[in-house]
Amino acid sequence: MDATGSLALPPLTARSIVLSTLLGHHPPALPARALVRVGELFGTAEGTVRTALTRMVAAGDLEQRDGTYRLTDRLLARQARQDDSRAPRTRPWDGGWEIAVVTTERRSATDRAALRQAMAALRLAELREGCWLRPANLVRPRPDVVDEQCTRLTGTPEGDPAALAATLWDLDGWAARARVLEGALREEWTENLARRFMVSAAVLRHLLADPVLPAALLPEDWPGDRLRRRYESTDRDFRDLLLRHIGA
């Protein structure tokens, strides 16, 4: 959001157009001509889109086979996280917390970065350096990097768990942007496909940052589920329109 509280969206590059399109497409593979057509929605020249495709292949973001571009494994994992953020798998919460404490003595910068990325994907927060935790209400696989570097524990805080959650995550900040995005989904759902595309991509990025806490730990009027329902109700129509535009 900008200083006035209005929704500010980052400018789209040819790379972000291609990436957002493929992340939202199942299976995540489209011919070059379709991706060029998406670029046309934003006034992006065909040559610019094709240059971006070449660079993304060189960078390992995409692989190309017979004129079709598809996400590589690293970005397939991001798509899986994005899909999960739209419908998180939860279980009843009994008050317990997941705790992961780094116990490996020597770690390279690469190892540290890999663990931090894994913890973000698992929606754990760092209480202090090397100590990660969250309420144990999510169902998801655990990557090997966590077991390789951490000792896993379960426990419960002695103080107010809601107060602890509020120190680990910026719940008010997340909720404020979620409400702005929810409003944008209502107000911007016009024939402006470019604007719709940008708002949809912003919603998906924001849902990835939702800690998905138990209801007992959330502030009143938490907008997470509302934002998901609003997004799902508008995304189907938008995807149909987009596919008709690109001829896929």
Side-chain angles (χ1 to χ4, degrees):
M1 293 181 289
D2 61 21
T4 68
S6 300
L7 180 62
L9 298 173
L12 284 176
T13 63
R15 181 185 182 278
S16 62
I17 291 168
V18 169
L19 186 56
S20 293
T21 300
L22 290 175
L23 284 169
H25 195 68
H26 294 79
L30 285 170
R33 66 179 182 277
L35 294 167
V36 167
R37 288 276 285 162
V38 176
E40 290 174 354
L41 289 171
F42 307 96
T44 304
E46 176 178 348
T48 303
V49 173
R50 292 188 181 275
T51 297
L53 290 171
T54 299
R55 290 175 175 172
M56 293 173 76
V57 170
D61 295 328
L62 303 178
E63 58 182 14
Q64 188 266 342
R65 297 177 188 170
D66 302 323
T68 296
Y69 291 84
R70 65 191 70 244
L71 299 180
T72 56
D73 288 346
R74 175 174 60 83
L75 288 173
L76 285 174
R78 176 175 168 180
Q79 186 187 49
R81 293 195 302 272
Q82 178 176 288
D83 291 345
D84 182 70
S85 73
R86 295 170 63 172
R89 291 168 291 172
T90 61
R91 60 186 178 189
W93 186 54
D94 63 2
W97 286 61
E98 302 177 28
I99 306 168
V101 180
V102 174
T103 50
T104 301
E105 292 185 3
R106 296 181 180 178
R107 296 186 298 152
S108 66
T110 300
D111 291 338
R112 292 173 184 272
L115 180 64
R116 186 167 293 277
Q117 183 178 17
M119 291 306 196
L122 291 170
R123 304 178 193 269
L124 273 78
E126 195 170 25
L127 179 64
R128 55 169 297 171
E129 185 176 0
C131 181
W132 302 79
L133 69 165
R134 67 156 294 112
N137 69 316
L138 293 182
V139 178
R140 71 275 200 241
R142 187 171 68 217
D144 292 340
V145 66
V146 177
D147 290 331
E148 291 166 358
Q149 298 188 39
C150 298
T151 296
R152 304 272 299 186
L153 308 165
T154 58
T156 55
E158 291 188 0
D160 179 5
L164 175 58
T167 67
L168 294 171
W169 291 277
D170 179 13
L171 300 179
D172 290 340
W174 192 94
R177 181 167 176 82
R179 294 186 182 102
V180 172
L181 286 167
E182 184 185 4
L185 285 176
R186 290 193 303 266
E187 297 166 9
E188 302 293 346
W189 221 245
T190 67
E191 292 304 313
N192 186 339
L193 286 181
R195 176 70 178 182
R196 292 165 70 169
F197 184 95
M198 295 168 70
V199 171
S200 292
V203 170
L204 289 175
R205 287 192 298 270
H206 197 56
L207 290 177
L208 283 171
D210 182 359
V212 192
L213 299 177
L217 304 186
L218 292 172
E220 292 184 7
D221 194 31
W222 180 253
D225 287 343
R226 274 203 323 273
L227 180 61
R228 288 182 175 85
R229 289 193 297 270
R230 173 68 63 177
Y231 176 83
E232 295 300 333
S233 70
T234 54
D235 183 61
R236 288 187 295 272
D237 290 341
F238 171 57
R239 288 293 162 188
D240 287 343
L241 285 171
L242 183 62
L243 290 176
R244 287 199 297 271
H245 177 80
I246 66 178

